[in-house]
Amino acid sequence: MPKVVDHEQRRREIVDAVLRVVVRDGAAGASVRTVAAEAGWSTGALRHYFATQRELREFTARMVTERVGARIRAYVGEHEFALPLPELAAGILEQLIPLDEQRREEYQLWLAIGEWSRTDHVEESARMWAEQRDIYLQIVYRLSGYPNEPVPADGLDPRVAAWAEYLHVFVDGLAAQAMFVPADMPPDRVRAVLRAFLAEVPSLADRSRSASDGGA
């Protein structure tokens, strides 16, 4: 019988090869040729799956987003009802920070995707950013005292949006420090600083209720 080829698995193997090349050689080193060699394929075989370098980069960006998203969903599924909300939020955000080897490699790939987006207009990069911003909105919305329901598409308290931006910038900066100055910002310090920041998110829902009561 002819061998059944799992094409999706082959594509994922290629993404793993992209990751290894980026970790070793940086964003510029991840060409179709170098990735094919890393995967043990011919360039022609790789082009069967990705006709262009941009297609390869788009797929890589989508896969790394899905991997991180799956890890976050698994973490929430395991801890949602066992941890207080601030600790659950901290654990979710830690999935985006390079605190171990796997996340350090992912962070290098995030940086590569950013560089590819600058030079090759990787459309998936915008979706990655939007999905991350949604995570920050969800976290701030809950921490600030709003109900356990989806963040409203319209009429969102602008202070929630502002604090989501603050948190996004803060976590990005914390991730960069964890990656580039790990001696000064080791994992235990990262975790402590992250929790200290989350504790500063104000009770915005209570303030909104007070303002509404006062205006009644």
Side-chain angles (χ1 to χ4, degrees):
M1 294 180 62
K3 184 178 180 180
V4 177
V5 177
D6 186 338
H7 293 288
E8 190 62 23
Q9 178 60 31
R10 287 287 184 90
R11 287 174 179 265
R12 293 176 187 276
E13 290 172 2
I14 293 170
V15 171
D16 289 337
V18 174
L19 176 60
R20 293 193 297 272
V21 171
V22 166
V23 169
R24 185 183 66 233
D25 302 328
S31 66
V32 169
R33 181 180 57 79
T34 58
V35 170
E38 179 67 27
W41 294 21
S42 68
T43 301
L46 190 143
R47 289 194 185 278
H48 174 74
Y49 292 93
F50 303 101
T52 66
Q53 185 162 280
R54 183 174 180 179
E55 286 184 12
L56 173 61
R57 290 174 171 180
E58 289 282 2
F59 184 79
T60 299
R62 185 164 68 253
M63 285 298 98
V64 71
T65 300
E66 290 181 4
R67 287 181 184 183
V68 174
R71 193 166 66 239
I72 289 174
R73 289 191 295 273
Y75 179 87
V76 172
E78 181 178 356
H79 299 289
E80 184 175 10
F81 302 107
L83 295 177
L85 182 57
E87 186 61 28
L88 179 68
I92 292 170
L93 295 174
E94 285 175 8
Q95 307 309 313
L96 304 172
I97 302 174
L99 296 175
D100 56 26
E101 189 59 31
Q102 177 185 0
R103 281 173 280 183
R104 288 178 68 83
E105 290 181 351
E106 286 175 353
Y107 187 83
Q108 289 177 270
L109 194 50
W110 286 114
L111 294 178
I113 292 166
E115 178 62 18
W116 296 339
S117 296
R118 187 182 67 83
T119 60
D120 203 20
H121 306 293
V122 176
E123 295 178 0
E124 188 67 22
S125 181
R127 188 173 76 90
M128 291 166 57
W129 187 93
E131 289 189 359
Q132 282 200 19
R133 177 51 60 87
D134 185 64
I135 291 171
Y136 296 114
L137 274 173
Q138 294 280 352
I139 286 174
V140 170
Y141 193 68
R142 303 290 180 266
L143 289 177
S144 60
Y146 282 92
N148 188 25
E149 59 188 37
V151 175
D154 298 311
L156 177 67
D157 186 333
R159 296 168 302 174
V160 172
W163 270 92
E165 291 180 354
Y166 305 155
L167 182 58
H168 196 164
V169 172
F170 180 85
V171 173
D172 279 355
L174 198 56
Q177 290 185 41
M179 184 70 189
F180 298 116
V181 287
D184 295 320
M185 194 58 73
D188 287 347
R189 178 62 179 158
V190 169
R191 294 185 175 99
V193 171
L194 175 61
R195 284 158 177 77
F197 186 90
L198 292 176
E200 295 299 317
V201 177
S203 299
L204 301 174
D206 292 339
R207 295 182 188 180
S208 292
R209 292 190 199 86
S210 297
S212 298
D213 293 344

